[in-house]
Amino acid sequence: MITKPLTGLMTKDELIFERSKAGKKGISFPKERIFSKPLAARIPDLYQRKQTTALPEISEPEIVRHFVNLSRKNFSIDTHFYPLGSCTMKYNPKINEEIARLDGFAWIHPFQTPETIQGALQVLFELQEMLCEITGMDAFSLQPAAGAHGELCGMMLVRAYYHQRQDFKRTKVIVPDSSHGTNPASAALCGFEVVTTPSGPDGRVDLIALEKAMDDHTACLMLTNPNTLGLFEKDILQITRLAHQKGILLYYDGANLNPLLGIVRPGDMGFDIVHLNLHKTFSTPHGGGGPGAGPVGVKKSLIPFLPVPAIKKKNSVFELDSNQPHSIGKVRSFFGNFGVLLRAYVYIRTIGSDGLTQISRDAILNANYLRRRLEKLLEIPYNDYCMHEFVATVRQYKSKGLHASDFGKRMLDFGIHAPTVHFPLVVEDALMIEPTETESKEVLDQLVEVFEIMVKEANDDPESLKKAPYTMPIRRPDEVQAARKPILSWRDYSQDLKRPSSPDMPSTG
Ligand SMILES: *Cc1c(COP(=O)(O)O)cnc(C)c1O
């Protein structure tokens, strides 16, 4: 009879190498020779290992449990609520995955000729058309692999546009101080000088400061609307008109299109270039550096500069057109992240245009419901009707030594992923909360309850918050070291690497 739980047997945090035991096997290869010669004899001596690999030896059920248990230590959208502002961590319908795994899609080789991949090209072509319709733009390129990559591509389009007009004096790009960090980074990476303009007292673009910043040297104004505080720029038409009068292009960071679908279109607001984050708004699992897609859309005047090849349709045949003399060239190999593009296509097709509008209405409703409930517990500096997200602050607890990240860490104990903390920079000790449309009222109410508990703890026992989380396998890592000097292997392999001219590796130089 088992009197004690089997702790140590199933739940002990052992590495796969520590579980390894010589001679254990997860897979058995057939003994018979399948080839006329044993396989090893068919491989040139040069390429044969001189010693066996240091792989762990373990049975199949053990390895399955090892990785499933590891995966359960993590947060994911399938296991936890994830109010991570600006990241739009919403539920990803499983039908996207089913379609993405169909053999006809999953096994295409990128070097196949267009005649043999007409179906895939049709998906890409129709996705381009749907994104044009959703955003009010005239053409899309699906190549960029992430939001920041889309921004860089957009900045290259801006440069190509002015250079073709022999206008070399426009070297500056304006970004508001509340912009996403990738905006100034992308502009700078493309060689532009970044000019930052301040937000006004209502958290929106300060029109007077903006007008002052715009001159003959300004190439582009990069904006997000709603901005990073979750607020809609009400003066957007005035802003885009003003910029166009001065010959300035307008770039729209559409990473967070979630509150706009079927309601407002960047193209109608007057933007010339947009990028979208399909891995946010259009439901691809993301986070942890997984694949994304940041397609870029443009108005007519910028179409000649888009990346090649363009996917076109001629007499109901889909083809790749690289004959674009003014194109900025390729920004990514082949077609972009096809699997992500396909998931977005399935998502849009299954949800339909009415569904898209409903998504945005629900995202806005959920965010405003939470904002109105949390304003009784937390300070909300720009407390105005918000779009898909809002920003609260815990700066009133600074004197107790508490910061936004302490609240974020504590939330993990309640099974809720932390919100985005310490961003945007215009709000000190910010908690940026985006519930998304896929969460129910009950889940939102649970978040409010968790904040009730945390606010009580902050007032009565701030030390307890500082030590959180209590239930996670790792509690307070040195975040800088963890990012800059991660330990990624079981033991120090540097010794192996130092072995003189590794005999089992053919020289490539
Ligand atoms: C997420 C995000 C980006 C960057 O997108 P990545 O795919 O992470 O490169 C840019 N702008 C805004 C507003 C975002 O929320």
Side-chain angles (χ1 to χ4, degrees), residues 86 146-149 151 180 182-183 224 253 255-256 275 277 279-280:
S86 197
H149 193 192
E151 292 169 28
H180 195 272
T182 51
N183 292 184
T224 309
D253 177 342
N256 310 128
H275 87 261
N277 276 21
H279 46 294
K280 291 180 180 170

Side-chain angles (χ1 to χ4, degrees), residues 159-171:
R159 193 174 55 186
Y161 171 86
Y162 289 116
H163 282 193
Q164 205 237 340
R165 300 158 71 104
Q166 303 289 315
D167 182 348
F168 298 105
K169 67 180 184 308
R170 294 192 183 263
T171 53

Side-chain angles (χ1 to χ4, degrees), residues 475-500:
R475 294 177 56 191
R476 294 257 173 163
D478 179 331
E479 285 172 15
V480 176
Q481 292 295 319
R484 300 225 171 116
K485 289 189 181 165
I487 300 169
L488 297 175
S489 66
W490 167 50
R491 62 185 169 90
D492 184 8
Y493 280 100
S494 53
Q495 287 313 106
D496 306 50
L497 296 175
K498 268 187 232 133
R499 228 183 287 143

